């Protein structure tokens, strides 16, 4: 009887051990799936939006899907609920249409694959940027060629609904070759969704609008704009995670201007300005994108010409920028880049060398180390998504 009892006890122990091992195995494989969406221009064989999976173990990108809807999906944005993606295209809905178009896609929660929901006109020529309200209510589209932007209501199924507002800028600035008229380049919402910051390269201003959460209408804020240096050409914009400071990447002068920001009114007050280039670099360059590390300690901006990301350390108390250095992008024309939401990697879209380059990031120093790349024709935008 004692031997039988010990035998049963041993079997129970083995079964319990197997259950523990299976549980641990399940947990180890339950890591979030990491997806990268890459927008491209329709050049050199590019097919559209590329969907990749990033494997942190070998630091490689694996292509999963190519979405061939439309031509030149040049900028993308993911809805905050991770269920939808939006893209702007240069081509209109009809062949004779001079406006661009905007498409919405449903994201498969298991695979990350995209399925088209609908498309609408961008209500302007040359759409260059799309962003989504942090509360998930609206999509904002910037029309560079037209000097306008439009606000779209997001329908319950994630598709693009009615246009709630369209704003046309007026004016010009000091560069007679590029600033004869407004050129809306990007729209960045505040984290609370109350304000949007509209960078207009043509008039050297970051326009500030207050958003009506019910109607989707926008009105000039009490301080209607932040002024950039004449001829600088504000292109992209980044708000510090603490909401107290903001930074403008100035395309034409290859500089970053900083501002103090009043979270209650949205107002911007000029603070300082720094070059994005080494002192000995004298060739042609233009600034492009700008992003913070998740902890707000470092700011990164891309140079097209010098082919680098400039890195600044940021004092969260004063907004002071301190140059850390420039990192070679291992490609040409880095139009856009994506800061990993965990702060561990940076993915750079190098348009003219058809490659996405991957860098590991040191969270203590802000510096980057090149680890590899993936071939992607005419790549111009990258967005990251973790699937649970």
């Amino acid at each position: 009887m004692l031997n039988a009892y010990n035998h049963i006890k041993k079997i129970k122990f083995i079964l319990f051990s197997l259950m523990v091992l299976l549980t641990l195995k399940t947990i180890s494989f339950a890591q979030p799936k990491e997806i990268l969406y890459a927008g491209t221009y329709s050049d050199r064989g590019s097919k559209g939006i590329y969907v990749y999976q990033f494997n942190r173990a070998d630091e490689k990108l694996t292509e999963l899907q190519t979405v061939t809807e439309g031509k030149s999906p040049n900028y993308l944005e993911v809805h905050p609920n991770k269920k939808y993606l939006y893209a702007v295209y240069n081509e209109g809905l009809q062949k004779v249409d001079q406006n661009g178009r905007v498409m919405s896609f449903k994201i498969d929660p298991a695979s990350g694959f995209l399925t088209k929901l609908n498309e609408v006109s961008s209500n302007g020529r040359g759409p260059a940027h799309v962003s989504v309200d942090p509360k998930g209510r609206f999509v904002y589209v910037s029309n560079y060629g037209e000097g306008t932007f439009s606000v779209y209501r997001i329908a319950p199924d994630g598709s693009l609904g009615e246009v709630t507002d369209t704003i046309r800028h007026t004016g010009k600035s000091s560069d007679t070759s590029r600033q004869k008229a407004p050129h809306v380049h990007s729209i960045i919402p505040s984290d609370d969704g109350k304000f949007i910051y509209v960078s207009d390269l043509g008039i050297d201003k970051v326009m500030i609008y207050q958003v009506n959460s019910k109607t989707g209408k926008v009105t000039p804020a009490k301080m209607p704009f932040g002024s950039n240096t004449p001829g600088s050409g504000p292109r992209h914009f980044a708000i510090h995670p603490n909401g107290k400071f903001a930074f403008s990447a100035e395309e034409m002068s290859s500089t970053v201007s900083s501002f103090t920001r009043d979270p209650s009114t949205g107002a911007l007050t000029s603070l300082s300005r720094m070059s994005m280039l080494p002192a000995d670099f004298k060739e042609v360059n233009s600034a492009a994108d700008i992003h913070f590390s998740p902890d707000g300690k470092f700011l990164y901006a891309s140079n097209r010409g010098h082919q680098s990301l400039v890195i600044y350390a940021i004092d969260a108390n004063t907004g002071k920028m301190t140059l850390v250095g420039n990192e070679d992008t291992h490609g040409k024309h880095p139009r856009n880049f994506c800061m990993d939401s965990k702060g561990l990697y940076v993915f750079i879209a190098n348009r003219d060398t058809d490659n996405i380059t991957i860098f590991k990031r040191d969270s203590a120093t802000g510096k980057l180390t090149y680890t590899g790349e993936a071939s992607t024709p005419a790549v111009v935008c990258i967005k990251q998504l973790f699937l649970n």
Side-chain angles (χ1 to χ4, degrees):
M1 285 291 291
L2 185 60
N3 286 339
Y5 173 77
N6 288 336
H7 184 66
I8 293 171
K9 191 175 181 181
K10 186 181 289 186
I11 291 173
K12 286 183 176 180
F13 176 77
I14 291 171
L15 290 172
F16 174 77
S17 299
L18 287 172
M19 288 177 64
V20 171
L21 287 171
L22 287 170
T23 301
L24 291 173
K25 187 175 182 181
T26 300
I27 292 172
S28 67
F29 280 100
Q31 298 297 323
K33 189 173 186 179
E34 188 168 354
I35 301 295
L36 258 65
Y37 298 104
T40 66
Y41 283 139
S42 295
D43 296 324
R44 301 186 291 280
S46 175
K47 298 176 182 178
I49 300 174
Y50 290 76
V51 183
Y52 292 100
Q53 182 173 355
F54 180 58
N55 187 328
R56 291 182 179 243
D58 60 11
E59 298 176 330
K60 301 290 185 183
L61 288 171
T62 301
E63 185 178 326
L64 302 179
Q65 181 195 24
T66 305
V67 180
T68 58
E69 296 279 355
K71 292 182 178 180
S72 296
N74 69 88
Y75 209 89
L76 318 173
E77 191 56 271
V78 175
H79 192 286
N81 68 11
K82 302 181 181 180
K83 295 180 179 180
Y84 313 108
L85 178 138
Y86 303 91
V88 291
Y89 296 75
N90 288 337
E91 66 174 355
L93 296 174
Q94 306 294 332
K95 287 185 178 180
V96 295
D97 188 357
Q98 293 186 349
N99 294 335
R101 69 174 78 179
V102 195
M103 287 192 198
S104 63
F105 297 89
K106 184 177 181 180
I107 298 173
D108 183 271
S111 66
F113 283 21
L114 300 176
T115 302
K116 181 181 173 183
L117 291 172
N118 74 331
E119 61 183 345
V120 297
S121 173
S122 70
N123 289 316
R125 299 189 309 273
H129 188 269
V130 59
S131 56
V132 182
D133 165 47
K135 305 298 182 182
R137 302 163 297 189
F138 310 111
V139 165
Y140 304 106
V141 173
S142 306
N143 294 303
Y144 179 87
E146 195 82 5
T148 66
F149 69 90
S150 288
V151 184
Y152 300 80
R153 191 179 299 280
I154 298 175
D157 66 353
S159 63
L160 292 157
E162 63 174 321
V163 176
T164 62
D165 213 345
T166 295
I167 302 295
R168 181 181 297 275
H169 288 173
T170 60
K172 58 184 179 179
S173 194
S174 61
D175 189 313
T176 57
S177 63
R178 295 195 60 189
Q179 296 179 311
K180 295 179 181 179
H183 295 298
V184 175
H185 219 307
S186 66
I187 299 173
I188 301 299
S190 58
D191 284 346
D192 58 11
K194 293 181 179 179
F195 302 97
I196 56 172
Y197 294 85
V198 184
S199 296
D200 194 316
L201 180 145
I203 61 176
D204 282 323
K205 292 176 181 177
V206 177
M207 306 299 291
I208 310 167
Y209 295 91
Q210 193 160 359
V211 181
N212 185 310
S213 61
K214 294 182 179 179
T215 66
K217 296 286 185 181
V218 298
T219 53
K222 186 175 181 180
M223 176 184 281
F225 59 84
S227 293
N228 295 71
T229 301
S232 61
R235 177 185 172 98
H236 278 234
F237 193 75
I239 301 172
H240 192 278
N242 68 16
K244 297 178 181 179
F245 304 100
F247 299 79
S248 174
E250 298 169 323
E251 176 177 332
M252 295 167 61
S253 56
S254 300
T255 47
V256 171
S257 282
S258 64
F259 302 85
T260 58
R261 175 179 175 269
D262 185 333
S264 63
T265 66
L268 299 175
T269 303
S270 293
L271 186 60
S272 66
R273 191 166 183 245
M274 286 188 70
S275 173
M276 293 171 54
L277 297 167
D280 60 353
F281 184 80
K282 304 300 180 184
E283 299 174 35
V284 176
N285 186 78
S286 61
D289 205 6
I290 186 167
H291 296 287
F292 272 101
S293 59
D295 60 12
K297 293 181 179 179
F298 297 95
L299 180 68
Y300 300 77
S302 57
N303 283 304
R304 298 169 296 176
H306 188 250
Q307 322 301 1
S308 69
L309 291 194
V310 62
I311 308 169
Y312 306 101
I314 303 298
D315 186 320
N317 295 315
T318 65
K320 180 182 177 181
M321 295 184 286
T322 301
L323 179 67
V324 174
N326 288 77
E327 180 66 43
D328 188 333
T329 62
H330 289 255
K332 294 183 178 180
H333 201 96
R335 187 173 184 265
N336 169 256
F337 64 97
C338 175
M339 173 66 64
D340 167 37
S341 60
K342 293 185 177 181
L344 300 178
Y345 288 92
V346 174
F347 306 93
I348 303 176
N350 295 300
R351 186 194 70 183
D352 292 355
T353 43
D354 303 329
N355 63 333
I356 297 172
T357 46
I358 305 165
F359 293 80
K360 201 160 189 175
R361 178 178 171 272
D362 187 318
S363 58
T365 66
K367 293 183 178 180
L368 307 175
T369 302
Y370 171 79
T371 64
E373 61 186 75
S375 176
T376 311
V379 60
V380 291
C381 183
I382 303 171
K383 295 295 174 179
Q384 177 202 48
L385 175 65
F386 283 98
L387 296 176
N388 296 324

